[in-house]
């Protein structure tokens, strides 16, 4: 496997003409008098959904190495976003279940073998887990697609392999975590110890369940911590399966516990738990604020937050417009637009603006929307009815604010949560679609005149997660990369999410960094040890 696995590998590849044409119907669709009457992919979402071959075997909570029912006996349905129908009923964890999971994690940390193992032993277990995940690639991918709605090809060819790479990456770090020997002004031996922080509470979102599982669990376990992880209520299935594979690899009981449930109950109980030593959360900015308050009001546990974004994608006057259109399209529409770092504000220089808009519209009209289990599908349904309705309200606001709806803007089909790929031009900075995180397939194209202007406008947001720059000029690239107040800048590329590259935001996009060496700091305490030296030969 290549050392660098990129999401862009999937979104940049071309789909075969045969598979794309099969998604299009003929009669009554396409252009009528120069105007689009309706999307040619509508027929694809009305077909009978493809039945996944994977079985749903794990729907209980995973506590102390065992799958168990919730203490209350309650369950909740997890839905197929293609139809809105129930896939399975999953155990609904509450505060009592979080207490059980934290107690198991505490026992495993304070008295169990995990932090007392040699780092090499921990490494070997993580490597075995990665091997098992790789072996069960297609089962995990099918669960991810069924529960989330993303294309199966994306899950199977990109996201599960990225999870494997992440776990192997952190396994490699396990025996390379060490402190320093520090010279002091006087006869003292000074060293620092990097110690595991203890019980880590982790809350992951629904848009990338498996990848966020890896981003959280990988560094925590490599550092010798134990974990209680709460899945998103929309997508609980794949993390339960992956966690089972970790235990098959030899992970001791209590080291990794999974609680499914809702944010207001299980999530709040985990964030406010007095025996959780560290908290990591990925999700919306508003929920992140609530999580931070709960952590502060309880035991002041440290918190890392990876939150929302409204990332600028800047197309400069010297850009190759065809390449820029394709990259901007991928930056926004990837994963149904449900991506925190999506290039959701497409700034285009006035000299190429009109050409860009026409080509962006044409590209959106070609986007293959349909059953995510069907080969060649680029876009599946949105996650659920709540997100579906939210996106349609934002589209309506764009029209009401005076932006030009170039294409799309409506639901696709009559069942499930499909939305037409939507493109707006003539978007202004004060429009809601340019200010707030839509989290859907809605591209907003804005016009700019010069670098100074676009820097000011790009930074005029509460968010600071990522940015994209498309230019052939190295001086322009250097100016923008240093001026933009964001945690990641991609130049002539987008969504390069290598295991070793840190990811996180400025401002209200969060605190701390995921992935890479930087993420290890989230799960370690630094202890200074000072010992007097008697008659030292040297200082």
């Amino acid at each position: 496997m290549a050392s660098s696995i990129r999401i862009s590998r999937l979104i940049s590849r071309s789909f075969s003409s045969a598979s794309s044409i099969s998604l299009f119907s003929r009669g009554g669709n396409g252009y009528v008098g120069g105007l689009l009457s309706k999307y040619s992919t509508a027929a694809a979402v009305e077909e009978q959904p493809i039945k996944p071959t994977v079985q749903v075997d794990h729907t209980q909570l995973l506590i102390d190495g065992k799958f168990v029912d919730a203490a209350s006996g309650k369950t909740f349905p997890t839905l197929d976003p293609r139809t809105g129908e129930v896939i399975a009923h999953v155990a609904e964890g509450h505060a009592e279940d979080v207490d059980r999971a934290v107690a198991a994690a505490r026992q495993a940390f304070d008295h169990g073998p995990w932090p007392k193992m040699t780092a090499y032993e921990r490494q070997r277990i993580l490597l075995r887990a990665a091997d098992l995940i790789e072996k069960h690639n297609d089962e995990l991918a099918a669960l991810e697609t069924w529960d989330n709605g993303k294309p199966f090809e994306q899950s199977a060819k990109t996201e599960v392999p990225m999870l494997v790479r992440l776990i192997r990456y952190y396994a490699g770090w396990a025996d390379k975590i060490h402190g320093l020997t520090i010279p002091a002004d006087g006869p003292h031996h000074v060293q620092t110890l990097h110690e595991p922080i203890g019980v880590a509470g982790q809350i992951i979102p629904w848009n990338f369940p498996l990848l966020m599982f890896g981003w959280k669990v990988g560094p925590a376990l490599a550092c010798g911590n134990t974990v209680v992880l709460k899945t998103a209520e929309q997508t609980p299935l794949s993390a339960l399966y992956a966690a089972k594979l970790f235990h098959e690899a030899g992970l001791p009981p209590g080291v990794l516990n999974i609680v499914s449930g809702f944010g207001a109950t299980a999530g709040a109980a985990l964030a406010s738990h007095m025996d959780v030593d560290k908290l990591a959360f990925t999700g919306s900015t508003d929920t992140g604020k609530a999580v931070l308050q709960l952590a502060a009001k309880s035991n002041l546990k440290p918190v890392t937050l990876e939150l929302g974004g409204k990332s600028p994608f800047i197309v400069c006057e010297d850009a190759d417009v065809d390449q820029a259109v394709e990259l901007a399209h991928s930056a926004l529409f990837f994963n149904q637009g449900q991506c925190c770092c999506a290039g959701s504000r497409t700034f285009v220089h006035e000299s190429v603006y009109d050409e860009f808009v026409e080509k962006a519209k044409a590209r959106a009209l070609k986007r293959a929307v349909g059953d995510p289990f069907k080969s060649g599908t680029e876009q599946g349904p949105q996650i659920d009815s709540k997100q579906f309705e939210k996106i349609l309200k934002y589209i309506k606001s764009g029209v009401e604010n005076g932006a030009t709806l170039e294409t799309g803007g409506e639901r696709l089909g009559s069942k499930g949560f499909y939305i037409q790929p939507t493109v707006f031009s003539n978007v202004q900075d004060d429009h809601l679609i340019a200010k707030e995180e839509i989290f859907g397939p809605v591209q907003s194209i804005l016009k700019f005149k010069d670098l100074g202007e676009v820097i000011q406008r790009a930074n005029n947001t509460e968010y600071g997660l990522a940015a994209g720059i498309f230019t052939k000029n190295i001086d322009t690239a250097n100016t923008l990369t240093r001026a933009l107040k964001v945690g990641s800048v991609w130049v002539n590329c987008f969504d390069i999410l290598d295991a070793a590259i840190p990811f996180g935001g400025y401002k209200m996009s969060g605190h701390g960094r995921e992935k890479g060496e930087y993420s290890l700091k989230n799960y370690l305490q630094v202890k200074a040890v000072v010992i007097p030296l008697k008659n030292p030969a040297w200082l």
Side-chain angles (χ1 to χ4, degrees):
M1 183 179 297
S3 61
S4 176
I5 300 178
R6 296 169 171 83
I7 280 182
S8 61
R9 173 186 300 173
L10 182 74
I11 59 182
S12 64
R13 84 183 196 289
S14 61
F15 294 93
S16 70
S17 59
S19 64
S20 295
I21 290 172
S22 69
L23 295 176
F24 296 151
S25 60
R26 293 185 179 182
N29 294 329
Y31 288 93
V32 179
L35 297 176
L36 185 76
S37 63
K38 66 176 183 176
Y39 265 68
S40 56
T41 51
V45 302
E46 296 296 344
E47 297 173 356
Q48 184 67 24
I50 296 171
K51 183 174 176 57
T53 57
V54 67
Q55 288 188 332
V56 180
D57 294 325
H58 304 292
T59 59
Q60 296 172 292
L61 311 179
L62 179 57
I63 297 176
D64 204 17
K66 299 176 182 177
F67 284 102
V68 298
D69 291 331
S72 66
K74 290 184 178 180
T75 63
F76 66 94
T78 185
L79 306 180
D80 182 344
R82 301 175 300 169
T83 61
E85 296 173 354
V86 175
I87 299 172
H89 288 84
V90 180
E92 183 179 337
H94 288 267
E96 184 177 349
D97 303 297
V98 171
D99 286 343
R100 289 194 292 161
V102 172
R106 173 58 59 198
Q107 175 71 19
F109 184 79
D110 290 346
H111 305 290
W114 188 248
K116 296 180 176 65
M117 281 184 184
T118 66
Y120 177 59
E121 290 177 292
R122 289 200 299 271
Q123 180 185 86
R124 293 179 66 192
I125 290 173
L126 292 177
L127 289 172
R128 285 198 296 270
D131 290 344
L132 286 170
I133 292 169
E134 189 170 52
K135 178 180 177 181
H136 294 277
N137 182 96
D138 288 355
E139 295 99 312
L140 278 164
L143 286 174
E144 190 84 337
T145 290
W146 198 2
D147 218 10
N148 174 276
K150 65 181 63 192
F152 176 76
E153 291 178 348
Q154 175 183 322
S155 297
K157 296 181 180 180
T158 298
E159 295 189 17
V160 178
M162 285 183 74
L163 173 61
V164 173
R165 179 68 179 97
L166 279 161
I167 300 306
R168 287 178 176 152
Y169 175 84
Y170 284 112
W173 269 111
D175 61 354
K176 300 168 187 67
I177 297 169
H178 53 78
L180 301 171
T181 301
I182 301 170
D185 292 339
H188 294 89
H189 172 77
V190 182
Q191 68 182 97
T192 56
L193 302 177
H194 291 184
E195 301 180 343
I197 201 165
V199 176
Q202 302 179 329
I203 302 173
I204 61 173
W206 48 259
N207 58 334
F208 293 99
L210 279 173
L211 284 180
M212 296 303 101
F213 172 89
W215 287 20
K216 296 289 188 290
V217 167
L221 295 184
C223 292
N225 299 281
T226 58
V227 171
V228 177
L229 183 142
K230 191 198 88 69
T231 56
E233 56 266 30
Q234 299 90 341
T235 54
L237 299 179
S238 57
L240 288 167
Y241 192 104
K244 181 208 71 161
L245 297 179
F246 271 78
H247 284 83
E248 286 184 15
L251 197 70
V255 174
L256 175 58
N257 306 274
I258 308 292
V259 177
S260 51
F262 293 86
T265 50
L270 187 60
S272 59
H273 205 286
M274 294 296 292
D275 212 20
V276 170
D277 300 306
K278 186 268 180 303
L279 192 68
F281 170 82
T282 296
S284 72
T285 295
D286 286 343
T287 305
K289 291 179 181 179
V291 164
L292 195 59
Q293 287 181 326
L294 290 171
K297 290 179 179 178
S298 54
N299 58 346
L300 206 62
K301 60 180 72 65
V303 181
T304 49
L305 301 170
E306 198 266 280
L307 307 176
K310 195 68 179 174
S311 300
F313 185 100
I314 301 171
V315 180
C316 298
E317 58 186 318
D318 64 338
D320 180 310
V321 174
D322 290 334
Q323 292 179 3
V325 165
E326 184 61 33
L327 193 61
H329 179 88
S330 299
L332 187 283
F333 290 102
F334 174 66
N335 206 53
Q336 294 68 252
Q338 297 170 156
C339 188
C340 56
C341 58
S344 53
R345 291 183 295 153
T346 308
F347 288 97
V348 181
H349 191 271
E350 61 182 3
S351 64
V352 294
Y353 185 84
D354 291 342
E355 179 186 1
F356 184 96
V357 169
E358 285 303 311
K359 290 181 175 179
K361 174 182 176 180
R363 177 63 180 91
L365 286 167
K366 293 178 182 178
R367 188 164 183 81
V369 184
D371 190 328
F373 283 101
K374 188 167 186 175
S375 178
T377 295
E378 293 179 276
Q379 180 177 315
Q382 310 307 130
I383 184 67
D384 60 15
S385 60
K386 180 180 178 181
Q387 187 66 19
F388 174 82
E389 295 296 338
K390 174 187 171 184
I391 294 165
L392 291 178
K393 287 180 181 178
Y394 273 115
I395 292 171
K396 182 180 179 182
S397 79
V399 174
E400 292 173 346
N401 286 161
T404 302
L405 180 60
E406 296 286 346
T407 187
E410 298 180 0
R411 78 173 298 159
L412 195 57
S414 60
K415 61 182 178 181
F417 309 122
Y418 295 89
I419 292 179
Q420 295 173 345
T422 299
V423 177
F424 279 101
S425 64
N426 299 314
V427 179
Q428 305 302 313
D429 292 348
D430 60 350
H431 292 175
L432 283 182
I433 58 173
K435 293 171 60 179
E436 298 184 8
E437 188 176 34
I438 301 173
F439 230 59
V442 182
Q443 185 176 33
S444 299
I445 309 178
L446 305 91
K447 185 186 296 185
F448 76 93
K449 293 182 179 181
D450 57 54
L451 283 187
E453 173 200 339
V454 78
I455 289 169
Q456 188 276 326
R457 292 170 63 192
N459 286 335
N460 187 23
T461 172
E462 65 186 21
Y463 298 112
L465 191 55
I469 300 167
F470 208 89
T471 180
K472 298 175 183 176
N473 189 312
I474 188 64
D475 294 327
T476 298
N478 282 333
T479 295
L480 288 171
T481 55
R482 284 159 173 76
L484 297 173
K485 295 180 172 62
V486 296
S488 297
V489 181
W490 291 296
V491 181
N492 296 330
C493 60
F494 207 85
D495 278 341
I496 308 302
L497 298 172
D498 189 278
I501 301 174
F503 184 83
Y506 288 21
K507 298 186 284 186
M508 290 176 65
S509 286
H511 302 158
R513 293 294 180 268
E514 307 267 18
K515 301 192 292 99
E517 182 180 0
Y518 289 89
S519 66
L520 300 172
K521 298 178 181 179
N522 301 334
Y523 296 98
L524 294 168
Q525 295 275 29
V526 178
K527 178 184 289 181
V529 178
V530 182
I531 303 172
L533 293 171
K534 302 299 183 182
N535 302 315
W538 53 269
L539 289 176

